Amino acid sequence: MKNLHLIALGLLLNISAVAVAQDKQAKMHQVVMQLNSADTAVWSSTLGNIRNFQKVWPGNVKIEVVVHGKALNFLVNEKSHLVAEIESMTKLGVTFNACENTMNKYGIKKEMLIPSVGSVPSGVAELVIKQEEGWSYLKTGY
Amino acid sequence: MKNLHLIALGLLLNISAVAVAQDKQAKMHQVVMQLNSADTAVWSSTLGNIRNFQKVWPGNVKIEVVVHGKALNFLVNEKSHLVAEIESMTKLGVTFNACENTMNKYGIKKEMLIPSVGSVPSGVAELVIKQEEGWSYLKTGY
Amino acid sequence: MKNLHLIALGLLLNISAVAVAQDKQAKMHQVVMQLNSADTAVWSSTLGNIRNFQKVWPGNVKIEVVVHGKALNFLVNEKSHLVAEIESMTKLGVTFNACENTMNKYGIKKEMLIPSVGSVPSGVAELVIKQEEGWSYLKTGY
């Protein structure tokens, strides 16, 4: 019977530990942004939103930008007019991921992307996975 | 006192069972997509996204497309140019729901919709309900 | 040992209380809407969505509209053509919040906003905070 008490208490302590861990996690904000527009005004405003997050939550926000469809050139070294801005943001910890599905469709190889950015097999799947993991979602565009 | 132990243990086992059930549910991805644009490029790209989900997560993703506002013709038999694609997707388990509120506004009767699609009283309410149930949300459009 | 029982029982009752509280909260729907378009058709359709929520869930839905970027004039007294509609909605409990970041950028002072509306330091941060608190998210626009 004593063992039962210990198991019960152990489980209860575990539950409390999970609650505390969730609370700690809540203090680090996590945002996944969807960028799928060819409109360069949307590209600039996406970077503006990121600067805004960093001003409000310095050191306290994880940001991932998922770039797919018509927005892909945003991350293509020879096509994007925002290479310097994107590279300085990745140094600050912002993640930019190109959709490999879109890359295949348009014949864009990894070496054509801005060196500091990454890629994911499917942009839309990445947006879903991050939401499943508790990240907040923001759709860019108007 | 023994009863108390049993109640406590029973409750703890219940908690574990819930945790396991939630874990199982997490393996089936659930996505609700909002389609409210009259732009047929957005319609096509919505179907492209669905194909992408099915390629990445075959048999492992539930998809519901909520169609409302200016996008309604996407699901109207006489107006949509994507009837065959939509019908073959519903056979694969994708759900397309027209907003009845929009249908009333534009005088669209159920028998005017593509036969295999459904409807919901309010498109925007459906998007909220699904998020409350833990589905991930994707806004289509640019 | 008796104390241990009481602690265990107390914790279990707490867990149940939390579950009940969450259930009660689930019955009040909570929606945060993002409005960042200069297109007045999007402004009207946002108000249409709100009316739709109130029809489906009378007295049972909390709505906050976060207005930022190119949409700011929607809440500027001298620029918006929807002042009367917005004021009657705030009387019904709908919250409209302008982004102070955008206000600073465009030189809009608080006294230039429609009197019944509010503001938040950062529109995009507000959209994330509300999602973290369990609100559903809707992006307006097409």
Side-chain angles (χ1 to χ4, degrees), chain C residues 39-64:
Chain C
D39 181 349
T40 57
V42 177
W43 300 4
S44 302
S45 117
T46 301
L47 299 187
N49 289 342
I50 294 171
R51 279 185 208 103
N52 203 215
F53 280 127
Q54 289 171 329
K55 202 173 78 179
V56 182
W57 294 320
N60 231 3
V61 56
K62 281 200 243 176
I63 301 167
E64 175 176 335

Side-chain angles (χ1 to χ4, degrees), chain A residues 37-94:
Chain A
S37 172
D39 180 350
T40 57
V42 176
W43 300 3
S44 302
S45 117
T46 301
L47 299 187
N49 290 342
I50 293 171
R51 280 185 208 104
N52 202 215
F53 280 127
Q54 290 172 328
K55 201 172 78 179
V56 182
W57 294 320
N60 231 3
V61 56
K62 280 200 243 177
I63 301 168
E64 175 176 335
V65 185
V66 175
V67 181
H68 68 110
K70 296 170 191 271
L72 199 72
N73 281 343
F74 174 69
L75 295 185
V76 175
N77 213 6
E78 299 280 307
K79 304 270 189 169
S80 180
H81 66 296
L82 294 165
V83 175
E85 286 86 342
I86 291 168
E87 295 216 303
S88 82
M89 280 184 176
T90 58
K91 272 175 202 149
L92 292 171
V94 178

